Amino acid sequence: MDIALTGRPRPDRTSSPRAAEASAPPRLRVLVVGGGIGGLATALALGRRGHDVLVLEQRPTLTESGAGIRLAPRDFQLLHVLGVGDAVRNRSLALDAFQVRDGSTGDLIGSVTLPASPAHATAHRLDVYEPLLEACWELGSVELRTHSRVVGCVQEGGAVRATLADGSHVTGDALILTDGTCADARRDAEGGRGTPGERLAVYRATVPMDAVADRWQESAAVCWVGRDWHLSHYPLPDHRYLSLTATLHHHTGAGLHGARVGLGEVLGAFPGVGPAARDVLTTGRHWRALTLPGGPAAADRVSGRTARVGDTGHGAHRSDAACPHQALEDAVALGESCDVSGAGVHGWLADYDVRRGERVRQSRAEHGFRYGEDRWTDDLALVGHVLSKDSAGSC
């Protein structure tokens, strides 16, 4: 069965329908694989430009779960571009300080008081997801489809066809892959290019505040830095929970896909953690683990009529691998490229690829020196990096 995504009539706002048809940019049919934060942000960026977007989500429901996230001023700028900045800000908790501590000794390396404006904040993932979801529901140009796991795709002539797990197909002018996309679909979209690179192992837990020491209950984000690892934690908006993340920088074991793990496994992954940081780790009881790309994001994000958004491409020098910044940045860039290209799918995605590549190269030049072979080479530079309003890694 082949299901074509058909376009909806564009409202006539001129006295001459033929003139409007001649001057209007082509209305594209875009498939977005994945209904997470990156997928919904991409759907908004394109749907608000009049393109027909079909979001294919493999889960039975559209929701978001997991540890909290940190939002930097740049993240709020991107959310405002997508039209949901105020809604997310109203559901977030402003941070008033950021600390970097030695993970082995517990010593304070650096502390910065955060400005009230522009705000650095925390949020539950659902606090970002729901405003994006509600905005998509309000757009007639966006269709959200659950139970739709994409297992492969092929480009045929002037279209791209995605194969679903139930054997059906959907077609569109372009296909956008987001974080969490099936490996087979990603390989097909990239034409078999690329090899597995450095990976992070990320362990996440949400801890009730009554299990946390008083000094960690303040509105501050804390990053503990060790050899080849770091921990980060911060309060969530209702102050009832602490979001806790432990990240191993060079993971060589099997892939972790959101599986539940015990505290013993978490502690075993971080043998060098000092007593103070260990005390924080032991507050976590219900952990989930996953692997993420650890090296810099690839500059080449486009293959024919397919493109990628998201991927935690700067994980090795980010203190919070849960941050959705890259997905938001890419979604907005896709929309901006669509505005300026005006030459169909290939011109649009080529412009996006150039923009994305320029940002990656700039990030490597600015921040690549900060991470040494075994640990941060300049922990105070980490503080400045995290606080930078315009940094792609300011999460």
Side-chain angles (χ1 to χ4, degrees):
M1 175 173 60
D2 188 72
I3 307 171
L5 176 61
T6 58
R8 298 172 178 83
R10 183 184 296 272
D12 179 17
R13 296 177 181 170
T14 70
S15 58
S16 173
R18 290 185 178 179
E21 183 178 349
S23 60
R27 185 166 190 166
L28 302 176
R29 303 184 302 276
V30 183
L31 311 178
V32 176
V33 183
I37 289 176
L40 297 188
T42 300
L44 269 183
L46 300 179
R48 285 197 166 138
R49 287 169 167 82
H51 300 298
D52 288 301
V53 183
L54 174 61
V55 177
L56 300 165
E57 170 55 47
Q58 64 180 343
R59 297 172 297 176
T61 58
L62 291 164
T63 187
E64 189 65 276
S65 61
I69 52 179
R70 295 214 339 252
L71 298 169
R74 174 59 178 166
D75 299 310
F76 282 110
Q77 292 174 8
L78 295 167
L79 289 166
H80 276 296
V81 170
L82 295 170
V84 298
D86 289 338
V88 174
R89 189 181 299 277
N90 290 338
R91 300 172 65 154
S92 65
L93 170 70
L95 293 171
D96 55 28
F98 177 79
Q99 299 178 10
V100 176
R101 291 181 172 271
D102 188 302
S104 298
T105 67
D107 294 339
L108 179 65
I109 296 171
S111 180
V112 176
T113 299
L114 298 174
S117 180
H120 293 256
T122 72
H124 295 276
R125 294 189 70 87
L126 201 60
D127 293 328
V128 178
Y129 187 85
E130 285 187 341
L132 291 169
L133 180 60
E134 291 168 3
C136 284
W137 277 335
E138 293 174 358
L139 281 180
S141 56
V142 174
E143 179 184 351
L144 306 171
R145 187 181 299 180
T146 57
H147 294 285
S148 299
R149 182 171 183 261
V150 176
V151 297
C153 64
V154 61
Q155 300 185 51
E156 299 176 325
V160 59
R161 184 178 66 175
T163 302
L164 306 186
D166 64 3
S168 64
H169 306 279
V170 290
T171 60
D173 297 306
L175 181 143
I176 309 299
L177 298 158
T178 68
D179 289 340
T181 298
C182 167
D184 290 339
R186 186 177 293 265
R187 184 184 61 249
D188 288 350
E190 296 172 353
R193 296 178 295 117
T195 57
E198 179 185 325
R199 293 183 300 166
L200 309 177
V202 182
Y203 301 83
R204 298 172 179 166
T206 303
V207 184
M209 273 297 190
D210 58 13
V212 178
D214 290 344
R215 61 176 174 161
W216 308 129
Q217 296 185 21
E218 300 175 354
S219 297
V222 182
C223 183
W224 305 74
V225 181
R227 290 181 60 88
D228 204 32
W229 55 267
H230 67 269
L231 318 177
S232 64
H233 57 82
Y234 41 82
L236 292 174
D238 48 19
H239 264 287
R240 294 174 54 199
Y241 297 96
L242 188 81
S243 180
L244 176 58
T245 304
T247 304
L248 184 65
H249 298 164
H250 302 289
H251 177 68
T252 57
L256 307 170
H257 306 286
R260 291 188 180 276
V261 296
L263 176 60
E265 182 174 341
V266 176
L267 293 175
F270 301 90
V273 67
R278 183 184 179 89
D279 285 345
V280 176
L281 267 184
T282 56
T283 63
R285 288 293 182 270
H286 305 288
W287 292 87
R288 286 191 180 275
L290 69 158
T291 45
L292 297 171
D300 184 4
R301 310 282 286 182
V302 172
S303 176
R305 290 178 173 269
T306 68
R308 291 186 288 138
V309 300
D311 284 338
T312 309
H314 298 282
H317 61 253
R318 286 203 338 207
S319 67
D320 185 0
C323 177
H325 176 92
Q326 197 61 63
L328 297 175
E329 192 82 61
D330 288 351
V332 170
L334 269 174
E336 293 173 346
S337 293
C338 196
D339 290 338
V340 302
S341 62
V345 172
H346 291 288
W348 162 40
L349 296 184
D351 185 88
Y352 165 69
D353 203 23
V354 170
R355 289 170 184 259
R356 184 56 159 69
E358 289 175 349
R359 290 203 311 277
V360 169
R361 286 187 289 273
Q362 181 181 7
S363 179
R364 287 175 178 171
E366 292 179 354
H367 309 301
F369 73 93
R370 291 179 176 163
Y371 188 73
E373 181 178 353
D374 294 318
R375 62 165 293 156
W376 288 93
T377 57
D378 184 350
D379 295 314
L380 290 178
L382 169 60
V383 176
H385 174 56
V386 171
L387 299 183
S388 170
K389 289 191 300 181
D390 300 318
S391 168
S394 56
C395 299

